[in-house]
Amino acid sequence: ALIAATAKLVIYPTGPGEPIRIDPAPIERLISAEWFPDGTHLLVCGAEASRAPRCYRQNRAGSAPVPLTPEGVLATLAPDGRTLLLALADGRFQLSSTEGGPPRPVEGLRLSDRQVGWSRDSQAVYVQPGLQVPATVERVDLATGRRTVVRQLAPEGLGALAAIYVTDMAKVKNWDHP
């Protein structure tokens, strides 16, 4: 859980046990947090006082966060635990590695795209290119930029809707296999 008022992270057990509280200082404003596959680290995005947001690797034991992106660059973590999709302040996207090395440009993603998930093989992302009804979810191949419509979602039996907000597609069974 992100506790925005105090810029703290709290890991709540799903069974017996006590919550683990993490102080991600010097981050003062938290934006997001997601688990690395190893279950001991988090990708935490936020901002230090009077600085632009960036993303860090944070150990659940509470050691100081280690910057993974430059200031002004936010990221999401692929299922492989190494690949980062970087969202640059100017609207461009790049792929980077948690292990270092130069980032490479990504074609095919648009500033208006809202990422809703990664493919299981970490080679593509699913995006929602707007909030219109029916909602469209597209798969964007990160190597080629090729976009493929994989689903159109529209609820049945409801009155007029203004928008549909698609959530985390990683939890949808067989999403990678339409």
Side-chain angles (χ1 to χ4, degrees), residues 60-152:
R60 73 185 260 175
S63 60
V66 177
L68 290 178
T69 67
E71 286 187 29
V73 177
L74 297 178
T76 61
L77 180 66
D80 65 15
R82 295 181 313 275
T83 305
L84 294 170
L85 178 61
L86 308 177
L88 283 61
D90 64 5
R92 292 179 300 126
F93 294 88
Q94 295 178 335
L95 284 178
S96 181
S97 172
T98 59
E99 299 163 355
R104 65 178 175 92
V106 173
E107 303 299 326
L109 288 172
R110 304 176 191 132
L111 185 59
S112 61
D113 287 335
R114 199 176 63 70
Q115 185 180 344
V116 295
W118 281 87
S119 63
R120 289 184 191 126
D121 64 5
S122 302
Q123 301 300 307
V125 291
Y126 296 99
V127 298
Q128 181 181 6
L131 297 177
Q132 74 279 359
V133 178
T136 300
V137 176
E138 297 177 349
R139 183 181 192 275
V140 181
D141 184 295
L142 295 172
T144 66
R146 183 170 175 252
R147 297 174 75 103
T148 307
V149 173
V150 292
R151 295 281 193 276
Q152 291 227 308

Side-chain angles (χ1 to χ4, degrees), residues 5 9 23 37 41 43-44 48 55 86 96 103 126 129 135-136 151-152 158 165:
L9 294 166
D23 180 1
H41 294 88
L43 177 70
V44 178
E48 297 178 32
C55 297
L86 308 177
S96 181
Y126 296 99
T136 300
R151 295 281 193 276
Q152 291 227 308
L158 297 176
Y165 191 77

